[in-house]
Amino acid sequence: MKARPPADPASDSTLHVLERAQGGDPLAAKILFERALPSVRRWARGRLPRYARGDGDTEDVVQDVFLRTLKHIKRFQHRTVGGLQAYLRQAVVNRIRDLIRGSQRRGTQLGIDADLCDGAPSPLEAAIMREKLDRFLDALQRLRPADRQVIVWRIELGYTAEEIAAKLGKSKAAAGMTISRALTRLAKELDLDPNPSA
């Protein structure tokens, strides 16, 4: 039986925030998009050709994708943070293709980027990832909210020690120690040896 998620979605795993957003929680939807928006913006920067922009730019495309995704969040199927990010990136690519096609109808010629590929895992890889993910989420729920928040920042969102230090109002060294302790507690919950012998 899974542990009941905490009341504050800001310190929860992105997947639990997604579940809350799918259930209609507007705060969870806001948190979900605040977490995903920066990496998708960075990834999308410069991908919309100048001639296909019209009155908008890449930022407009990203915002449009996020709004469309929010409307259909209840049907979202992915179970990993990477799956969410991949879904959003693919949606941006699809929107850019639509804009390119529209510019072609207006007379502008363009070759579509042939380097885009589907990086979806095989069914076996998906099953293995799902099992590992369930273990991780169960272990994460057994931690204190402060530890969960640091782990979400570090593992799920990829924040650096400097970024976490700024968020916590601590020095980089103190934040590093906080991260290390949280990860050690997570390893203990996962029955992993945080300091394996050589």
Side-chain angles (χ1 to χ4, degrees), residues 20-31:
R20 285 203 178 111
Q22 288 173 321
D25 183 344
L27 176 60
K30 180 178 182 278
I31 291 169

Side-chain angles (χ1 to χ4, degrees), residues 71-189:
K71 287 180 186 177
H72 305 289
I73 195 79
K74 289 183 181 183
R75 289 186 274 157
F76 191 73
Q77 298 290 323
H78 298 282
R79 292 198 25 94
T80 65
V81 177
L84 173 61
Q85 291 172 339
Y87 175 86
L88 292 170
R89 285 192 302 267
Q90 186 61 50
V92 168
V93 167
N94 292 343
R95 183 68 185 122
I96 288 172
R97 286 179 177 163
D98 289 344
L99 292 171
I100 289 170
R101 286 185 199 109
S103 70
Q104 287 176 332
R105 284 190 295 271
R106 292 187 303 268
T108 305
Q109 297 296 319
L110 169 73
I112 303 280
D113 185 3
D115 293 336
L116 296 176
C117 63
D118 180 14
S122 71
L124 176 60
E125 291 170 325
I128 292 169
M129 287 190 304
R130 205 168 23 255
E131 183 179 319
K132 288 181 178 180
L133 176 64
D134 288 342
R135 278 190 70 218
F136 169 77
L137 291 175
D138 289 342
L140 188 64
Q141 287 303 309
R142 293 190 295 267
L143 297 177
R144 297 178 305 168
D147 288 338
R148 273 198 310 269
Q149 181 68 74
V150 169
I151 289 169
V152 166
W153 283 340
R154 185 71 183 116
I155 294 176
E156 291 189 8
L157 302 178
Y159 288 177
T160 64
E162 292 87 357
E163 291 169 324
I164 293 174
K167 287 188 167 292
L168 295 175
K170 294 183 176 185
S171 69
K172 181 181 173 187
M177 185 58 69
T178 300
I179 294 166
S180 177
R181 287 178 179 156
L183 290 173
T184 299
R185 289 181 189 113
L186 177 63
K188 183 177 179 184
E189 290 296 332

